[in-house]
mmCIF file of all heavy atoms in Angstrom:
data_model
loop_
_atom_site.group_PDB
_atom_site.id
_atom_site.type_symbol
_atom_site.label_atom_id
_atom_site.label_comp_id
_atom_site.label_asym_id
_atom_site.label_seq_id
_atom_site.Cartn_x
_atom_site.Cartn_y
_atom_site.Cartn_z
ATOM 1 N N ARG A 923 35.794 95.932 117.146
ATOM 2 C CA ARG A 923 35.221 94.638 117.536
ATOM 3 C C ARG A 923 36.139 93.866 118.482
ATOM 4 O O ARG A 923 37.363 93.902 118.361
ATOM 5 C CB ARG A 923 34.940 93.781 116.307
ATOM 6 C CG ARG A 923 34.105 94.482 115.239
ATOM 7 C CD ARG A 923 33.692 93.529 114.145
ATOM 8 N NE ARG A 923 32.721 92.573 114.659
ATOM 9 C CZ ARG A 923 32.578 91.320 114.194
ATOM 10 N NH1 ARG A 923 33.378 90.890 113.231
ATOM 11 N NH2 ARG A 923 31.670 90.526 114.695
ATOM 12 N N LEU A 924 35.507 93.126 119.393
ATOM 13 C CA LEU A 924 36.191 92.323 120.406
ATOM 14 C C LEU A 924 35.623 90.911 120.418
ATOM 15 O O LEU A 924 34.426 90.715 120.180
ATOM 16 C CB LEU A 924 35.984 92.965 121.786
ATOM 17 C CG LEU A 924 36.310 92.114 123.033
ATOM 18 C CD1 LEU A 924 37.814 91.917 123.174
ATOM 19 C CD2 LEU A 924 35.730 92.759 124.285
ATOM 20 N N ARG A 925 36.476 89.946 120.705
ATOM 21 C CA ARG A 925 36.041 88.586 121.031
ATOM 22 C C ARG A 925 36.557 88.285 122.436
ATOM 23 O O ARG A 925 37.738 88.503 122.724
ATOM 24 C CB ARG A 925 36.599 87.568 120.036
ATOM 25 C CG ARG A 925 36.088 87.760 118.624
ATOM 26 C CD ARG A 925 36.832 86.884 117.627
ATOM 27 N NE ARG A 925 36.571 85.487 117.837
ATOM 28 C CZ ARG A 925 35.597 84.798 117.234
ATOM 29 N NH1 ARG A 925 34.783 85.425 116.387
ATOM 30 N NH2 ARG A 925 35.414 83.519 117.450
ATOM 31 N N ALA A 926 35.670 87.788 123.294
ATOM 32 C CA ALA A 926 36.052 87.510 124.677
ATOM 33 C C ALA A 926 35.667 86.074 125.033
ATOM 34 O O ALA A 926 34.606 85.580 124.629
ATOM 35 C CB ALA A 926 35.382 88.483 125.643
ATOM 36 N N THR A 927 36.516 85.419 125.801
ATOM 37 C CA THR A 927 36.320 84.013 126.147
ATOM 38 C C THR A 927 35.116 83.844 127.068
ATOM 39 O O THR A 927 35.061 84.401 128.160
ATOM 40 C CB THR A 927 37.572 83.455 126.837
ATOM 41 O OG1 THR A 927 38.683 83.565 125.945
ATOM 42 C CG2 THR A 927 37.375 81.993 127.217
ATOM 43 N N THR A 928 34.162 83.042 126.617
ATOM 44 C CA THR A 928 32.998 82.689 127.425
ATOM 45 C C THR A 928 32.745 81.187 127.432
ATOM 46 O O THR A 928 31.757 80.730 128.015
ATOM 47 C CB THR A 928 31.728 83.399 126.910
ATOM 48 O OG1 THR A 928 31.494 82.997 125.551
ATOM 49 C CG2 THR A 928 31.876 84.911 126.971
ATOM 50 N N ALA A 929 33.635 80.423 126.796
ATOM 51 C CA ALA A 929 33.506 78.966 126.731
ATOM 52 C C ALA A 929 34.898 78.369 126.534
ATOM 53 O O ALA A 929 35.818 79.062 126.084
ATOM 54 C CB ALA A 929 32.584 78.552 125.587
ATOM 55 N N PRO A 930 35.084 77.096 126.849
ATOM 56 C CA PRO A 930 36.410 76.476 126.742
ATOM 57 C C PRO A 930 36.936 76.424 125.318
ATOM 58 O O PRO A 930 36.174 76.404 124.351
ATOM 59 C CB PRO A 930 36.189 75.060 127.289
ATOM 60 C CG PRO A 930 34.926 75.112 128.051
ATOM 61 C CD PRO A 930 34.094 76.181 127.422
ATOM 62 N N ASN A 931 38.248 76.388 125.218
ATOM 63 C CA ASN A 931 38.913 76.307 123.921
ATOM 64 C C ASN A 931 38.403 75.115 123.123
ATOM 65 O O ASN A 931 38.317 73.999 123.623
ATOM 66 C CB ASN A 931 40.424 76.191 124.129
ATOM 67 C CG ASN A 931 41.182 76.259 122.830
ATOM 68 O OD1 ASN A 931 41.531 75.251 122.248
ATOM 69 N ND2 ASN A 931 41.434 77.468 122.357
ATOM 70 N N GLY A 932 38.084 75.362 121.848
ATOM 71 C CA GLY A 932 37.639 74.291 120.962
ATOM 72 C C GLY A 932 36.162 73.982 121.024
ATOM 73 O O GLY A 932 35.685 73.101 120.292
ATOM 74 N N THR A 933 35.416 74.674 121.874
ATOM 75 C CA THR A 933 33.980 74.408 121.993
ATOM 76 C C THR A 933 33.280 74.688 120.668
ATOM 77 O O THR A 933 33.452 75.757 120.082
ATOM 78 C CB THR A 933 33.354 75.309 123.077
ATOM 79 O OG1 THR A 933 34.013 75.074 124.320
ATOM 80 C CG2 THR A 933 31.862 75.012 123.233
ATOM 81 N N PRO A 934 32.486 73.727 120.150
ATOM 82 C CA PRO A 934 31.737 73.997 118.912
ATOM 83 C C PRO A 934 30.674 75.055 119.170
ATOM 84 O O PRO A 934 29.894 74.943 120.111
ATOM 85 C CB PRO A 934 31.108 72.643 118.567
ATOM 86 C CG PRO A 934 31.088 71.880 119.848
ATOM 87 C CD PRO A 934 32.249 72.366 120.651
ATOM 88 N N TRP A 935 30.672 76.088 118.329
ATOM 89 C CA TRP A 935 29.705 77.163 118.527
ATOM 90 C C TRP A 935 28.349 76.731 118.005
ATOM 91 O O TRP A 935 28.220 75.731 117.302
ATOM 92 C CB TRP A 935 30.196 78.435 117.843
ATOM 93 C CG TRP A 935 30.106 79.585 118.796
ATOM 94 C CD1 TRP A 935 29.285 80.661 118.694
ATOM 95 C CD2 TRP A 935 30.842 79.756 120.015
ATOM 96 N NE1 TRP A 935 29.465 81.494 119.774
ATOM 97 C CE2 TRP A 935 30.407 80.960 120.596
ATOM 98 C CE3 TRP A 935 31.803 79.009 120.677
ATOM 99 C CZ2 TRP A 935 30.906 81.442 121.805
ATOM 100 C CZ3 TRP A 935 32.324 79.471 121.868
ATOM 101 C CH2 TRP A 935 31.867 80.667 122.420
ATOM 102 N N HIS A 936 27.313 77.468 118.378
ATOM 103 C CA HIS A 936 25.935 77.096 118.038
ATOM 104 C C HIS A 936 25.641 75.671 118.508
ATOM 105 O O HIS A 936 25.030 74.877 117.797
ATOM 106 C CB HIS A 936 25.678 77.235 116.533
ATOM 107 C CG HIS A 936 25.539 78.651 116.081
ATOM 108 N ND1 HIS A 936 24.963 79.017 114.880
ATOM 109 C CD2 HIS A 936 25.908 79.824 116.669
ATOM 110 C CE1 HIS A 936 24.982 80.339 114.758
ATOM 111 N NE2 HIS A 936 25.555 80.848 115.833
ATOM 112 N N SER A 937 26.075 75.357 119.707
ATOM 113 C CA SER A 937 25.862 74.023 120.263
ATOM 114 C C SER A 937 25.418 74.124 121.713
ATOM 115 O O SER A 937 25.511 75.186 122.343
ATOM 116 C CB SER A 937 27.150 73.182 120.179
ATOM 117 O OG SER A 937 28.049 73.535 121.223
ATOM 118 N N TRP A 938 24.976 72.991 122.277
ATOM 119 C CA TRP A 938 24.560 72.926 123.681
ATOM 120 C C TRP A 938 25.692 73.333 124.621
ATOM 121 O O TRP A 938 25.442 73.857 125.721
ATOM 122 C CB TRP A 938 24.086 71.503 124.018
ATOM 123 C CG TRP A 938 25.189 70.469 123.958
ATOM 124 C CD1 TRP A 938 25.504 69.675 122.905
ATOM 125 C CD2 TRP A 938 26.119 70.150 124.999
ATOM 126 N NE1 TRP A 938 26.584 68.872 123.199
ATOM 127 C CE2 TRP A 938 26.971 69.127 124.493
ATOM 128 C CE3 TRP A 938 26.333 70.596 126.294
ATOM 129 C CZ2 TRP A 938 28.012 68.581 125.244
ATOM 130 C CZ3 TRP A 938 27.362 70.048 127.043
ATOM 131 C CH2 TRP A 938 28.186 69.053 126.524
ATOM 132 N N ALA A 939 26.945 73.077 124.205
ATOM 133 C CA ALA A 939 28.089 73.349 125.075
ATOM 134 C C ALA A 939 28.231 74.842 125.369
ATOM 135 O O ALA A 939 28.596 75.242 126.483
ATOM 136 C CB ALA A 939 29.365 72.809 124.440
ATOM 137 N N VAL A 940 27.955 75.681 124.387
ATOM 138 C CA VAL A 940 28.014 77.122 124.588
ATOM 139 C C VAL A 940 26.885 77.573 125.515
ATOM 140 O O VAL A 940 27.076 78.442 126.374
ATOM 141 C CB VAL A 940 27.943 77.864 123.233
ATOM 142 C CG1 VAL A 940 27.883 79.374 123.431
ATOM 143 C CG2 VAL A 940 29.132 77.492 122.360
ATOM 144 N N VAL A 941 25.723 76.948 125.358
ATOM 145 C CA VAL A 941 24.590 77.269 126.236
ATOM 146 C C VAL A 941 24.947 76.978 127.690
ATOM 147 O O VAL A 941 24.686 77.789 128.589
ATOM 148 C CB VAL A 941 23.339 76.469 125.830
ATOM 149 C CG1 VAL A 941 22.131 76.913 126.661
ATOM 150 C CG2 VAL A 941 23.033 76.635 124.356
ATOM 151 N N ALA A 942 25.552 75.818 127.924
ATOM 152 C CA ALA A 942 25.913 75.425 129.293
ATOM 153 C C ALA A 942 26.852 76.442 129.929
ATOM 154 O O ALA A 942 26.672 76.825 131.093
ATOM 155 C CB ALA A 942 26.564 74.037 129.274
ATOM 156 N N CYS A 943 27.848 76.896 129.187
ATOM 157 C CA CYS A 943 28.827 77.846 129.737
ATOM 158 C C CYS A 943 28.239 79.238 129.907
ATOM 159 O O CYS A 943 28.625 79.978 130.819
ATOM 160 C CB CYS A 943 30.050 77.910 128.831
ATOM 161 S SG CYS A 943 30.985 76.365 128.740
ATOM 162 N N GLY A 944 27.295 79.602 129.047
ATOM 163 C CA GLY A 944 26.712 80.935 129.102
ATOM 164 C C GLY A 944 25.818 81.161 130.304
ATOM 165 O O GLY A 944 25.487 82.303 130.623
ATOM 166 N N GLY A 945 25.437 80.085 130.974
ATOM 167 C CA GLY A 945 24.597 80.211 132.154
ATOM 168 C C GLY A 945 25.339 80.012 133.451
ATOM 169 O O GLY A 945 24.711 79.922 134.513
ATOM 170 N N MET A 946 26.675 79.949 133.398
ATOM 171 C CA MET A 946 27.456 79.768 134.625
ATOM 172 C C MET A 946 28.664 80.705 134.624
ATOM 173 O O MET A 946 28.789 81.556 133.762
ATOM 174 C CB MET A 946 27.866 78.297 134.812
ATOM 175 C CG MET A 946 28.564 77.643 133.652
ATOM 176 S SD MET A 946 30.347 77.968 133.537
ATOM 177 C CE MET A 946 30.954 77.129 134.994
ATOM 178 N N SER A 947 29.543 80.531 135.591
ATOM 179 C CA SER A 947 30.555 81.552 135.877
ATOM 180 C C SER A 947 31.595 81.746 134.775
ATOM 181 O O SER A 947 32.153 82.842 134.656
ATOM 182 C CB SER A 947 31.263 81.227 137.198
ATOM 183 O OG SER A 947 31.860 79.946 137.144
ATOM 184 N N ILE A 948 31.880 80.739 133.952
ATOM 185 C CA ILE A 948 32.818 80.952 132.843
ATOM 186 C C ILE A 948 32.256 82.017 131.899
ATOM 187 O O ILE A 948 32.951 82.953 131.493
ATOM 188 C CB ILE A 948 33.109 79.634 132.090
ATOM 189 C CG1 ILE A 948 33.884 78.671 132.990
ATOM 190 C CG2 ILE A 948 33.876 79.920 130.791
ATOM 191 C CD1 ILE A 948 34.124 77.308 132.368
ATOM 192 N N GLY A 949 30.976 81.889 131.574
ATOM 193 C CA GLY A 949 30.336 82.895 130.737
ATOM 194 C C GLY A 949 30.234 84.240 131.422
ATOM 195 O O GLY A 949 30.456 85.285 130.814
ATOM 196 N N HIS A 950 29.900 84.215 132.726
ATOM 197 C CA HIS A 950 29.760 85.477 133.467
ATOM 198 C C HIS A 950 31.077 86.253 133.503
ATOM 199 O O HIS A 950 31.087 87.482 133.366
ATOM 200 C CB HIS A 950 29.301 85.193 134.891
ATOM 201 C CG HIS A 950 27.985 84.496 134.971
ATOM 202 N ND1 HIS A 950 27.629 83.678 136.021
ATOM 203 C CD2 HIS A 950 26.919 84.474 134.119
ATOM 204 C CE1 HIS A 950 26.423 83.201 135.823
ATOM 205 N NE2 HIS A 950 25.968 83.656 134.673
ATOM 206 N N LYS A 951 32.181 85.553 133.697
ATOM 207 C CA LYS A 951 33.481 86.232 133.733
ATOM 208 C C LYS A 951 33.820 86.844 132.375
ATOM 209 O O LYS A 951 34.358 87.958 132.298
ATOM 210 C CB LYS A 951 34.567 85.251 134.172
ATOM 211 C CG LYS A 951 34.564 84.955 135.660
ATOM 212 C CD LYS A 951 35.739 84.080 136.068
ATOM 213 C CE LYS A 951 35.807 83.924 137.589
ATOM 214 N NZ LYS A 951 36.957 83.089 138.018
ATOM 215 N N GLY A 952 33.515 86.120 131.301
ATOM 216 C CA GLY A 952 33.758 86.673 129.967
ATOM 217 C C GLY A 952 32.905 87.894 129.697
ATOM 218 O O GLY A 952 33.361 88.864 129.071
#
Side-chain angles (χ1 to χ4, degrees):
R923 308 188 69 209
L924 165 71
R925 296 171 67 92
T927 300
T928 60
N931 186 264
T933 302
W935 229 247
H936 285 198
S937 79
W938 66 265
V940 175
V941 186
C943 295
M946 53 82 67
S947 58
I948 293 176
H950 300 153
K951 284 185 174 181

